[in-house]
Amino acid sequence: MNGKLLKISKNDQPDDHLSRQAFLREIMDEDATSLWQQAENQGETWALARRIRLQEQKQPASAQQKTKDVISDKVSGGFISRRQKLIDLKKAKKIHHYTALYIGNDPQTIEGLTSLLDDFECEHTGNPKQALEILSHKTFTSIIIEYDLPMANAIQFLNTFGTFCSLNEQIVAILVPKTVDPSNKKIAARLGVKLWLEKPFASHVLTSCIKRLVEKSHEP
Amino acid sequence: MSPENPSRVFNIVDRTATVLVIENNISLRSLYNNVLKSLGYTHIYTTNEISIALGVLESEVVDWVLCSPQTENKLNIYHLLNMCIKYDGLKETLITTTLSDSEKKHIPHITALGCFSWFLSKSTEDHIRSSLEEIIRRIKIYKCDPTLITLSFLEDFLRDSQKHSELINTYRNLMSLYPGNTALLLKMAESQLLAGKKKEGSLTLQQACTMNIAAKPEAQSIADKYLSGVLPSISSGSTDQNPFGLKECFICKIDDSSKEVIENLFTETFAPFKYFSSSENCLDDCEKTVGPDLLISGWWNDGLNTAAFLQRFRIMKPHSVIVIIAHKLDSAEIALLNEMNCAVVLKPPLLRDKFLETLVWLIQQDNRPLEKSFLIIKIRQSLESGKIDRAIKFKESLQSNPLASQGDILLSTSEILLKQGNYEASLAIAIDALKYGGDSVACLNTMGRSFLKLGKFDKAFQAFDQAQELSPLNVKRLCSMAEASFELGGDVSDLLIEASIIDENSRAVKSTEAKTKIASGNTNAGRNILAQLSSIKDIIAYLNNKAVTAALDRKYDEAVALYEQALESVPDLHAKYRTVVNYNLGILHLRMGQMDQAEKVLQRCVPKEDASISEKASQLLENIKQARAANKQLKMMEKEAPPPFQLNEEHLKKIKRGIRLAKVETIINKGERCLYHIFYSPEKLKIVLESLSYLPSFKVKESIELDNKKVFL
């Protein structure tokens, strides 16, 4: 028997053997946390894919990418998660393919928008000037603006933006701290703002409001 | 070399074969014995008739039988050949028939039944010796391939008797087993020319030269002999024969350069193909035709994407070979291709020679699988079409494949058990398969399906969900997950949306949506979906099973409600199912002891909708009538619910101890027993028909060695 045959002999550990054990333990209602951890440490594809899924539910995109890169090195053609695959398919089919621009610098909102709005291609900038530049050559389905921006507030920004172009069908949302005078809400509405959301709010509140507004705007 | 165990032929060459001589004539019998001994054979049994020979065959592993036709006896050569086809213990035994001049008429018939070779029996030692030496010589020439060895004997016979057409048909049938084999093509060309079919013969010569340029000198010499030296040009003429034995090939949306290579090759070799620039059109054609036996497809993500296309294609054509041509595929796409039993992925640009080589290899493996991956594909394809015995046979080949892991074998066993309806055993083995390295997605899928059948919906969901993480494009699995989730009282919409993203108009998604809508009482929505489907058989079966399960759990109201919801949902288009549902509801009322309600419901069964069910309903109505006349209550037996499945190590161990894979019949595929299934005798002799109608019983005797002696148990 040559080396090649020995390598694939029946006694070899299968790929992902720790992950397999961990899963079987889970299915028997036993705790498998440490086995999953060991499997991740061994760089097992299955365990890392599971890690990505957990990260997709609650961790920053940067951490997800790191794990994806580790698996992609091992998988020919590159690893893709179930969630990412669906996003890609939707994009390819142009199903509910909406774009959003977030103007602001709140890390929680950025994370919430990138991880929860599957249907959205989201861009962000913290600089109102840069935002104007982006908006001058690209149309977004929705624009989400922090009330407090450097150099201007959201209403001032929208006033400036309005002198260049109209909001048309775009959904504009303003995220406001509690300290802002509620009378500004009327001014914002006149400027075409469809959502006035007071902070703090759970990340899914923003996304579900935006989705609802977008879907509503597409209804005949 | 034959893919089936070729050791019997080897044993003949190296003289280690156990030989059994069956000959009435005592002097001829002893002559055979002497000659065989002089040739170096040491394990020889002789007997005068087949009925006695069966005793030897049941107790010894006999490699080679030399047998006269014995047509005057109760058991003759046809009985013996038929037994070799029907019984596992004899399927590798090679039969050589010894014939007198007047018995030559039997040659086509014994060949069609898998006879290995034959020779004319003359009572001289020299003649017998030279006949046996000729068999050994041909075994060496044809490298121990029994099919080609038998073919060489058949060629002699058919050419002598000027039966060229029969020989041409045999060559054609052999092309899928020996795709692109130039020697066979040249022989076929010569037979066609001898039969006066000049056009076909010259095209076959062209095909041989296209397949292998080295065949040109021999093709030229045949052309010199029959075509006045003119070897026609490649593009001339048309023929329905091709060197791959392909019936039809569909090519769908591939890159231009690959398309050119494949189209040129297929055009030159007269392989039939159709190109589709739309996957929808390709599926439409699949629905209308038997073919294709080969699908070559590109990979795209827009419109009806390849993931959806392949899944729909597979439902229609579970046996076609799938080849994908794609630059780069991600892990999800590769995993789906694996699940769809895709044979190979080729990277463009295609090179003609390389593609030709791959094509030949693919067709060979599809017809006579030797490689692990093809054996696994064949097991799944057999199960898909309900051919469990065939699957078991391929699993046996997988077991003897040196590259198959314990996990692979366990997984196949588990898939077979699942198909046999032995869900507990299937689950227990699938768990072991996962442990020992079987393909993880397939193991998880089998576990999920077994859990689903065992009513363990949470576990089923867990296994499916994990499989979906590893292979996220499977629509059918998402539907199963939705069904499991529904049983658990969960939401199904997210899962069905996920499935729709992969395939917007999936029938499976619509079916699952209908099942869950109807079962939850939304009959209007259910009816609307059912009206869009061409068949609702699976949905009715699902609702019936659900009602039966509810009834077994003594939840009669729930069961009745399910049937009533089903009735409300059946649209006029599928009215025939109303009788089926009414009948089942009637039975349920009888089990509940509600004779009047049963009568009312059974009266709704009408022959116009389903004649056979309606007849059964009439019988039950008659029974109700009689019971009422006798002042009795007609009540059907209540069924007992099986005990709930326990998922624990101890129970799984117990299940595994009792597992047996029961095979009903022996299966011999084309090319596994000489020319059986390849050569067909044009007319049937009366004796053949009579002999084949009776199959003598046969059972291999188990034995053990005791003090160097064989003791039969």
Side-chain angles (χ1 to χ4, degrees):
Chain A
M1 195 181 278
N2 61 28
K4 199 178 170 192
L5 278 176
L6 273 176
K7 205 179 159 196
I8 47 174
S9 75
K10 292 180 182 179
N11 296 326
D12 262 1
Q13 293 280 27
D15 287 344
D16 295 331
H17 77 281
L18 289 169
S19 309
R20 288 165 189 262
Q21 280 178 38
F23 178 79
L24 288 173
R25 208 173 265 191
E26 265 181 3
I27 211 113
M28 297 285 191
D29 297 322
E30 291 168 24
D31 179 42
T33 322
S34 68
L35 257 176
W36 280 121
Q37 191 55 56
Q38 281 179 49
E40 278 179 37
N41 295 343
Q42 294 283 320
E44 288 188 5
T45 309
W46 183 344
L48 290 170
R50 180 179 168 274
R51 165 65 43 212
I52 290 176
R53 188 189 194 182
L54 295 174
Q55 285 173 345
E56 278 172 341
Q57 286 163 359
K58 55 189 177 191
Q59 283 186 11
S62 54
Q64 295 168 27
Q65 195 52 50
K66 212 172 155 187
T67 322
K68 280 177 193 170
D69 290 344
V70 175
I71 316 182
S72 284
D73 288 344
K74 298 174 67 189
V75 181
S76 67
F79 174 78
I80 189 157
S81 70
R82 174 171 164 191
R83 190 168 164 278
Q84 187 57 47
K85 188 73 210 172
L86 292 173
I87 295 171
D88 288 359
L89 277 179
K90 276 196 259 182
K91 277 183 188 168
K93 287 185 166 188
K94 299 184 176 60
I95 302 174
H96 306 303
H97 185 215
Y98 307 129
T99 49
L101 176 69
Y102 168 62
I103 310 166
N105 272 324
D106 180 11
Q108 248 186 315
T109 310
I110 296 171
E111 193 53 46
L113 285 170
T114 45
S115 65
L116 287 172
L117 283 180
D118 285 357
D119 303 340
F120 282 68
E121 199 178 278
C122 197
E123 281 185 40
H124 96 269
T125 172
N127 185 332
K129 258 192 176 176
Q130 206 183 349
L132 284 173
E133 207 183 302
I134 295 170
L135 286 165
S136 67
H137 60 80
K138 196 169 173 183
T139 309
F140 290 86
T141 321
S142 54
I143 304 165
I144 301 147
I145 316 168
E146 285 289 339
Y147 189 86
D148 289 322
L149 294 168
M151 299 181 284
N153 66 31
I155 292 178
Q156 289 163 332
F157 171 81
L158 285 172
N159 268 319
T160 319
F161 178 66
T163 56
F164 295 110
C165 35
S166 81
L167 283 168
N168 290 328
E169 304 258 291
Q170 300 178 71
I171 312 294
V172 180
I174 298 183
L175 316 177
V176 290
K178 266 196 169 157
T179 49
V180 173
D181 182 359
S183 62
N184 285 328
K185 197 174 172 180
K186 282 184 183 167
I187 305 167
R190 274 201 300 275
L191 288 167
V193 172
K194 294 201 173 67
L195 182 65
W196 180 272
L197 202 56
E198 268 188 27
K199 287 187 170 184
F201 51 79
S203 55
H204 74 269
V205 173
L206 170 65
T207 50
S208 58
C209 284
I210 296 280
K211 272 187 179 176
R212 225 175 24 237
L213 284 167
V214 171
E215 274 156 20
K216 218 173 155 190
S217 71
H218 281 76
E219 278 170 14
Chain B
M1 191 175 294
S2 164
E4 199 60 12
N5 188 354
S7 62
R8 306 297 174 98
V9 192
F10 277 131
N11 294 349
I12 296 176
V13 179
D14 69 9
R15 315 297 203 259
T16 56
T18 299
V19 190
L20 170 62
V21 178
I22 311 169
E23 174 56 60
N24 286 343
N25 184 319
I26 187 162
S27 60
L28 202 52
R29 197 161 68 229
S30 69
L31 210 52
Y32 283 135
N33 192 17
N34 293 342
V35 176
L36 283 164
K37 273 185 184 161
S38 71
L39 285 170
Y41 295 94
T42 51
H43 307 289
I44 307 165
Y45 294 88
T46 58
T47 177
N48 61 336
E49 57 180 80
I50 292 171
S51 54
I52 298 168
L54 290 185
V56 180
L57 290 164
E58 282 178 334
S59 53
E60 295 292 332
V61 177
V62 176
D63 299 307
W64 192 19
V65 177
L66 302 179
C67 182
S68 58
Q70 311 233 334
T71 44
E72 66 287 357
N73 290 354
K74 193 185 162 204
L75 294 185
N76 59 42
I77 187 71
Y78 294 111
H79 289 107
L80 182 62
L81 286 166
N82 195 26
M83 288 169 74
C84 292
I85 292 163
K86 298 283 162 58
Y87 293 119
D88 262 356
L90 291 174
K91 68 176 184 180
E92 283 166 29
T93 302
L94 298 160
I95 311 284
T96 292
T97 312
T98 56
L99 301 154
S100 67
D101 251 335
S102 63
E103 289 169 330
K104 275 165 94 176
K105 64 179 178 197
H106 292 292
I107 290 177
H109 309 285
I110 56 173
T111 311
L113 285 167
C115 181
F116 173 59
S117 65
W118 52 87
F119 61 84
L120 289 182
S121 57
K122 287 180 187 166
S123 306
T124 67
E125 199 173 317
D126 283 350
H127 176 80
I128 292 170
R129 181 186 301 278
S130 69
S131 300
L132 293 175
E133 279 174 345
E134 178 59 16
I135 294 173
I136 294 165
R137 191 181 71 85
R138 294 200 192 194
I139 293 175
K140 287 178 184 165
I141 291 175
Y142 294 102
K143 296 177 182 156
C144 296
D145 183 335
T147 304
L148 292 181
I149 298 161
T150 312
L151 177 69
S152 73
F153 285 101
L154 185 70
E155 280 165 344
D156 294 347
F157 171 74
L158 292 178
R159 280 197 185 138
D160 283 352
S161 27
Q162 301 283 310
K163 290 179 176 169
H164 300 296
S165 300
E166 287 171 35
L167 197 49
I168 294 165
N169 286 339
T170 310
Y171 289 132
R172 282 191 176 211
N173 287 340
L174 279 165
M175 282 329 293
S176 58
L177 286 182
Y178 301 90
N181 185 312
T182 42
L184 275 182
L185 284 169
L186 290 169
K187 281 183 183 184
M188 173 149 62
E190 191 162 12
S191 293
Q192 286 166 328
L193 294 168
L194 276 166
K197 297 178 175 176
K198 275 196 171 183
K199 196 178 136 199
E200 282 92 338
S202 55
L203 287 172
T204 310
L205 286 179
Q206 285 171 28
Q207 288 178 352
C209 298
T210 309
M211 294 305 296
N212 184 1
I213 196 73
K216 205 159 184 185
E218 205 173 331
Q220 187 60 58
S221 79
I222 295 171
D224 291 345
K225 207 164 157 188
Y226 302 99
L227 298 165
S228 318
V230 182
L231 201 57
S233 67
I234 283 297
S235 56
S236 61
S238 67
T239 172
D240 60 350
Q241 142 216 324
N242 67 80
F244 310 110
L246 273 177
K247 289 187 187 77
E248 191 156 36
C249 172
F250 282 4
I251 308 168
C252 190
K253 288 176 88 169
I254 58 170
D255 62 285
D256 289 344
S257 119
S258 304
K259 186 178 168 224
E260 198 184 333
V261 170
I262 297 170
E263 284 188 347
N264 285 344
L265 178 71
F266 282 179
T267 308
E268 285 168 25
T269 52
F270 304 97
F273 70 93
K274 272 187 194 168
Y275 183 82
F276 299 91
S277 51
S278 137
S279 46
E280 284 90 345
N281 290 349
C282 183
L283 290 173
D284 281 349
D285 252 50
C286 284
E287 226 158 359
K288 288 175 210 148
T289 59
V290 186
D293 39 12
L294 174 67
L295 169 75
I296 302 175
S297 171
W299 194 278
W300 63 93
N301 284 322
D302 56 328
L304 176 65
N305 59 48
T306 318
F309 165 65
L310 285 182
Q311 290 179 75
R312 289 199 207 174
F313 176 84
R314 258 296 173 241
I315 292 169
M316 282 192 268
K317 308 287 168 193
H319 295 282
S320 304
V321 178
I322 297 180
V323 175
I324 297 293
I325 299 180
H327 274 287
K328 196 181 174 188
L329 296 171
D330 61 39
S331 57
E333 291 159 350
I334 293 168
L336 181 78
L337 288 179
N338 204 15
E339 289 200 82
M340 291 298 110
N341 295 327
C342 165
V344 71
V345 177
L346 301 174
K347 207 173 169 181
L350 292 188
L351 299 174
R352 183 195 158 98
D353 289 351
K354 192 82 192 149
F355 175 71
L356 178 59
E357 201 180 291
T358 308
L359 184 65
V360 166
W361 167 75
L362 278 173
I363 297 166
Q364 270 170 351
Q365 288 296 322
D366 186 48
N367 284 289
R368 294 204 276 192
L370 279 179
E371 294 192 15
K372 181 183 110 172
S373 59
F374 279 88
L375 285 166
I376 292 172
I377 288 176
K378 284 286 165 190
I379 292 169
R380 293 197 184 137
Q381 288 177 336
S382 306
L383 291 175
E384 199 63 44
S385 45
K387 292 176 177 163
I388 297 176
D389 283 349
R390 196 168 286 271
I392 295 175
K393 178 189 158 74
F394 285 124
K395 199 215 81 171
E396 284 164 359
S397 304
L398 185 70
Q399 268 170 316
S400 49
N401 186 302
L403 297 184
S405 71
Q406 202 179 343
D408 296 325
I409 296 159
L410 286 166
L411 174 59
S412 298
T413 310
S414 150
E415 288 171 336
I416 294 168
L417 287 163
L418 179 69
K419 191 73 188 180
Q420 286 180 329
N422 194 347
Y423 307 121
E424 291 197 353
S426 168
L427 175 67
I429 301 292
I431 288 175
D432 275 358
L434 188 67
K435 223 181 273 177
Y436 293 108
D439 176 73
S440 43
V441 175
C443 289
L444 290 163
N445 224 14
T446 312
M447 284 170 67
R449 289 169 66 194
S450 303
F451 274 131
L452 210 55
K453 291 284 184 185
L454 292 166
K456 289 272 175 190
F457 301 110
D458 53 340
K459 303 288 173 194
F461 189 89
Q462 208 176 335
F464 283 140
D465 190 42
Q466 187 58 69
Q468 198 66 14
E469 285 299 318
L470 300 172
S471 177
L473 291 168
N474 193 316
V475 173
K476 202 172 155 190
R477 185 165 46 237
L478 283 166
C479 293
S480 300
M481 286 167 73
E483 282 171 31
S485 177
F486 176 73
E487 297 294 339
L488 294 166
D491 183 31
V492 299
S493 59
D494 279 355
L495 289 159
L496 294 183
I497 288 170
E498 189 174 339
S500 305
I501 291 167
I502 302 164
D503 186 354
E504 271 174 282
N505 292 308
S506 160
R507 196 226 166 254
V509 174
K510 280 184 187 155
S511 160
T512 306
E513 210 178 343
K515 286 175 191 170
T516 53
K517 290 262 194 273
I518 298 168
S520 57
N522 190 351
T523 49
N524 279 340
R527 192 185 312 117
N528 286 340
I529 303 169
L530 296 193
Q532 295 168 38
L533 301 173
S534 56
S535 165
I536 61 165
K537 199 176 166 188
D538 59 323
I539 299 162
I540 298 297
Y542 167 84
L543 293 166
N544 184 51
N545 288 344
K546 214 168 145 51
V548 168
T549 310
L552 285 174
D553 291 341
R554 306 280 190 270
K555 295 175 184 166
Y556 293 118
D557 290 346
E558 199 182 300
V560 171
L562 274 165
Y563 282 128
E564 281 170 352
Q565 285 156 13
L567 280 171
E568 271 179 53
S569 308
V570 175
D572 292 342
L573 172 72
H574 300 295
K576 63 175 182 177
Y577 288 103
R578 286 191 192 131
T579 285
V580 179
V581 179
N582 274 319
Y583 178 76
N584 289 334
L585 179 57
I587 299 267
L588 176 65
H589 280 305
L590 284 177
R591 284 197 205 290
M592 292 161 72
Q594 300 170 335
M595 201 166 74
D596 293 346
Q597 282 97 323
E599 188 179 31
K600 211 167 131 190
V601 170
L602 288 167
Q603 277 166 347
R604 289 189 225 141
C605 296
V606 284
K608 194 175 78 181
E609 290 175 358
D610 190 318
S612 72
I613 297 278
S614 170
E615 204 182 309
K616 283 186 190 175
S618 302
Q619 186 58 53
L620 278 177
L621 284 168
E622 186 57 38
N623 293 349
I624 290 173
K625 213 169 146 187
Q626 285 172 10
R628 195 170 282 135
N631 215 7
K632 280 182 182 168
Q633 182 74 14
L634 183 68
K635 189 174 188 294
M636 286 185 112
M637 282 270 286
E638 285 182 66
K639 279 188 183 169
E640 283 299 313
F645 174 69
Q646 300 166 332
L647 183 63
N648 59 54
E649 291 286 355
E650 206 47 50
H651 187 57
L652 292 175
K653 261 187 206 166
K654 206 173 132 191
I655 295 165
K656 281 188 275 185
R657 280 198 288 269
I659 293 174
R660 291 277 179 282
L661 275 188
K663 198 162 75 168
V664 179
E665 61 170 334
T666 302
I667 292 170
I668 298 189
N669 291 327
K670 191 174 166 181
E672 286 179 353
R673 189 161 173 80
C674 306
L675 290 176
Y676 178 62
H677 279 330
I678 295 169
F679 174 77
Y680 299 94
S681 168
E683 76 270 5
K684 291 269 181 285
L685 291 178
K686 196 179 162 205
I687 188 169
V688 183
L689 295 170
E690 280 172 0
S691 307
L692 295 185
S693 64
Y694 168 64
L695 181 69
S697 63
F698 177 84
K699 199 175 177 195
V700 175
K701 286 180 186 156
E702 287 183 45
S703 64
I704 51 164
E705 287 276 331
L706 212 63
D707 296 333
N708 289 330
K709 278 183 186 167
K710 209 177 207 180
V711 177
F712 292 98
L713 301 170

